[in-house]
Amino acid sequence: MPDPDQLPPLATVMQLEDWLQVDHGRAPQNAAELALGIASGLVRGEARCPFTVKDSTASLPVFDGVICPAGPVLSVASVTVAGNALTSGQWTLQDDDSIRLAPEVLRGYPQRARVTWRHGFENTPDDVLGIVLDAVARSIVNPRYLRQESTGQRALTFATESITLSLSQIEKDKLQRYRPGARSGPMGRTRG
């Protein structure tokens, strides 16, 4: 029975077949689903990001009248300072996903604000999708984990990353931008 808290793979078998340029239904379904789930877990772990939409409530620091919740921020349900729920006119969601407090709120020198917001990714970002598909394609193209294969006059050498389902250093570097705190500004503790 599947774990209800387990997140779905970041790519589908159909997307993998398109990536591999094979007809739909040609990929080994069970192996592809398993590999997509494992690769998605590796990507989420490296990025420290679930790549899904989540509702969170957290006590976040206020610096220079700005609050920086985890993003991307889709909407803000409430902002509370010193036990007082602010009206939508007392704060503004900025283009950089930060929340700017109005001058009258700042007169009380707030150091923290309790924020409830919806954030995350409604769709897997294209670069993340490509990383998942590349990782799975490497393992499916080389299912016996060969380092080198020769047939007659033709020889094929696989990269080290194709020996197991893993992420290359370049892929890990690309995922760094999704890590919490990669944006400028402090992050508070989040619970969802």
Side-chain angles (χ1 to χ4, degrees), residues 4-21:
D5 293 329
Q6 186 175 354
L7 295 172
L10 294 168
T12 66
V13 173
M14 189 177 289
Q15 288 171 315
L16 177 62
E17 290 169 330
D18 289 342
W19 194 257
L20 294 171
Q21 299 178 30

Side-chain angles (χ1 to χ4, degrees), residues 16-84:
L16 177 62
E17 290 169 330
D18 289 342
W19 194 257
L20 294 171
Q21 299 178 30
V22 299
D23 293 334
H24 292 177
R26 294 282 314 258
Q29 187 75 24
N30 291 340
E33 286 177 1
L34 180 61
L36 287 167
I38 292 168
S40 296
L42 289 171
V43 165
R44 285 180 169 121
E46 186 63 39
R48 298 182 192 151
C49 177
F51 296 106
T52 188
V53 174
K54 181 178 180 183
D55 293 316
S56 296
T57 299
S59 175
L60 301 170
V62 177
F63 286 106
D64 296 327
V66 176
I67 306 163
C68 296
V73 176
L74 302 173
S75 64
V76 177
S78 66
V79 179
T80 303
V81 174
N84 298 315

Side-chain angles (χ1 to χ4, degrees), residues 98-145:
S98 65
I99 299 169
R100 178 164 295 284
L101 299 178
E104 68 266 15
V105 176
L106 297 176
R107 290 189 193 113
Y109 302 104
Q111 294 186 355
R112 296 195 76 75
R114 186 162 187 78
V115 180
T116 299
W117 76 107
R118 177 167 275 227
H119 59 101
F121 297 89
E122 293 176 343
N123 297 304
T124 305
D126 289 341
D127 57 341
V128 173
L129 178 64
I131 290 170
V132 169
L133 292 171
D134 272 345
V136 173
R138 286 191 301 265
S139 70
I140 286 182
V141 168
N142 186 12
R144 293 180 292 158
Y145 301 116

